[in-house]
Amino acid sequence: MFLSHDGLCSIGELAERAGLTVKTVRFYSDRGLLPEAARSAGGHRRYGPDALGRLRLLRSLRALGLPVREVRRVLDEEDAADRVLEDAVAGQLREVGSELAALRWREAGLRLVLECPPGDRADRLRLIGAVGAPPDTAALARFWRAWLPPRMPARATAAFLEAAVPQPPGDPAPAQVLAFARLYALVTQPCTGSGPCQPEAHKAPGSRGPAVLYAGLAQAYELAGAPLRQGLEPGPGEELDSFVDAYASAYGGRDTPGFRRLLAGQLADDPRIDRYWELVTEVITPPGGRPEPTPGSAHDWLFAALEAQTAEAA
């Protein structure tokens, strides 16, 4: 309770009790966040007893980093104050998380430039300067959309992109920042060469061919994950049968020795795709960590098993 005869206080007294500057209190008043109770004969602001508690709440909310518009919502929507405050704090947490992720990427990028040989600095500056912090993966998704079969259903495309586009690590090492920057440079380069930028195996007939192909490949890649983790050499088995069956089903054919020979010839190496998966492994694997299988490493393992089998049969 204020000690003045009318139970009100001046802006200076209110600021002193709240531990704020007069300028800050005036700022909140001018924006309607701290209503004044009256004006003195000389036109000076006067505040009621509830102003001190409201001002302290304002200070606490602003100390959490909430913008003025969110503070206004918490103060004005009294009936739903808890829900509004919860939503505002959750939103601020997400924003702080994004800022921290950006700072971690900037820190790793700075270390990358600082710790590399002087002769490499110009190239690394160019690479990391082309991507944001944290980086956006939209360019990687565009790369795959151009590479995938044109009749690929939206649901199948989304499932493939989820597996093929790596999420940048939240706390990257300099080597992971460099790998992502190289990955970004790779996918933003135009496809070169006289032929189409599509593998021959994508020319599956019918509107359902691409969907059947990639649904089957996803199953084969998952099966190949086990021998990859065990470090086993590529060879025949359930994994290879599932891999071949994916192509046979998409083409409307049968899994025969002749089909396997034909498929081995069609699945030619694509240096762009091989390099893509090499860099993905570097992006998602922390220093000293054990690489996890990717669709790329699973495909290579299965392709090697197919080549070995057809060569042996020949």
Side-chain angles (χ1 to χ4, degrees), residues 244 247-249 251 253-264:
V244 174
Y247 287 98
S249 298
Y251 279 86
R254 293 188 305 110
D255 181 1
T256 65
F259 180 82
R260 293 199 175 203
R261 286 194 300 272
L262 177 64
L263 181 61

Side-chain angles (χ1 to χ4, degrees), residues 47-274:
Y47 296 92
D50 60 338
L52 183 58
R54 187 178 179 93
L55 187 54
R56 286 171 174 163
L57 177 58
L58 272 167
R59 181 182 60 186
S60 298
L61 294 172
R62 292 290 285 159
L64 291 173
L66 268 65
V68 171
R69 65 179 183 278
E70 296 296 340
V71 171
R72 186 187 304 278
R73 289 183 60 216
V74 174
L75 294 173
D76 292 348
E77 300 183 32
E78 296 181 1
D79 294 339
D82 286 342
R83 177 186 58 78
V84 174
L85 177 58
E86 183 177 338
D87 291 345
V89 171
Q92 193 65 17
L93 277 173
R94 289 191 295 271
E95 186 174 332
V96 169
S98 297
E99 292 172 356
L100 287 174
L103 287 173
R104 293 188 189 105
W105 273 83
R106 286 177 57 192
E107 179 188 23
L110 290 169
R111 287 170 53 199
L112 176 67
V113 174
L114 181 64
E115 295 168 3
C116 75
D120 294 341
R121 283 178 181 158
D123 180 61
R124 294 196 176 180
L125 279 171
R126 177 184 58 80
L127 282 170
I128 64 175
V131 299
D136 188 1
T137 59
L140 279 62
R142 287 194 297 271
F143 170 83
W144 282 113
R145 288 184 187 278
W147 187 86
L148 289 169
R151 297 187 303 275
M152 188 90 159
R155 182 178 296 181
T157 298
F160 179 83
L161 291 178
E162 184 176 354
V165 176
Q167 292 305 308
D171 190 7
Q176 291 173 293
V177 170
L178 179 59
F180 193 96
R182 286 174 171 164
L183 186 60
Y184 181 88
L186 174 71
V187 300
T188 52
Q189 291 174 352
C191 181
T192 58
S194 57
C197 296
Q198 291 272 328
E200 187 70 23
H202 279 179
K203 298 178 182 178
S207 59
R208 294 187 64 251
V212 171
L213 174 61
Y214 276 86
L217 288 178
Q219 181 179 355
Y221 294 160
E222 184 175 355
L223 290 172
L228 273 168
R229 291 186 180 92
Q230 297 172 34
L232 300 180
E233 291 296 319
E238 180 186 10
E239 306 84 10
L240 179 57
D241 292 344
S242 178
F243 182 65
V244 174
D245 183 66
Y247 287 98
S249 298
Y251 279 86
R254 293 188 305 110
D255 181 1
T256 65
F259 180 82
R260 293 199 175 203
R261 286 194 300 272
L262 177 64
L263 181 61
Q266 287 184 334
L267 295 179
D269 291 331
D270 187 331
R272 293 175 308 144
I273 303 302
D274 291 343

